[in-house]
Amino acid sequence: MVEDNAEVRQAVKVYKALGEPTRLKIAMMLTEEKNLCCSDIGSKLESVAGSTLSHHLKQLTDCGLLNLRKDGTYIYYSVNRELAQKYAPYLLE
C-alpha cells in the first residue's frame, strides 16, 4: 500500500503542475522540441517574464516531468518520457 500512496502523490504533483496553462504549453512544447534552454522556451512563449518562466520550469522539474541537463551556464530541459507516458500520455501523442 505504501507504493500506491507514493504513486498517488506523484500523480497529484504532475497533474497540479500541468493544471496551469503556461506549464502545459511548456510541457507540450518540449515534447516536440527536445533540449531547449530557458531563453529558447521564453522566446517561444513571448509573454512570460523570465522569473515567472523559471518558476514554471521549477514546478515541472520538481514533479519529475522535466529532465534538466547543465552545459556550462545553460540548462537544457526535456520531457521525462517515462513519467509522461505513465501520467500524461496525451502529451506524447
Side-chain angles (χ1 to χ4, degrees):
M1 195 64 151
V2 173
E3 288 180 352
D4 290 342
N5 288 334
E7 285 190 25
V8 167
R9 284 192 301 273
Q10 181 68 40
V12 168
K13 285 182 181 180
V14 170
Y15 299 140
K16 187 175 180 180
L18 291 175
E20 204 286 327
T22 302
R23 288 194 285 264
L24 179 60
K25 286 179 192 175
I26 292 169
M28 293 175 81
M29 180 188 315
L30 287 168
T31 59
E32 295 173 11
E33 298 182 52
K34 299 174 186 171
N35 296 317
L36 292 178
C37 66
C38 188
S39 60
D40 292 338
I41 295 168
S43 67
K44 292 178 184 292
L45 291 176
E46 296 172 2
S47 64
V48 178
S51 60
T52 304
L53 179 58
S54 293
H55 172 75
H56 289 316
L57 290 170
K58 181 174 178 3
Q59 293 293 315
L60 290 166
T61 303
D62 286 351
C63 78
L65 193 59
L66 295 187
N67 296 319
L68 61 91
R69 176 181 58 86
K70 293 183 180 183
D71 186 9
T73 59
Y74 290 94
I75 299 175
Y76 293 92
Y77 295 90
S78 61
V79 170
N80 178 342
R81 292 194 167 280
E82 185 179 318
L83 192 97
Q85 183 62 46
K86 186 172 184 176
Y87 296 112
Y90 63 88
L91 288 174
L92 303 175
E93 294 177 359

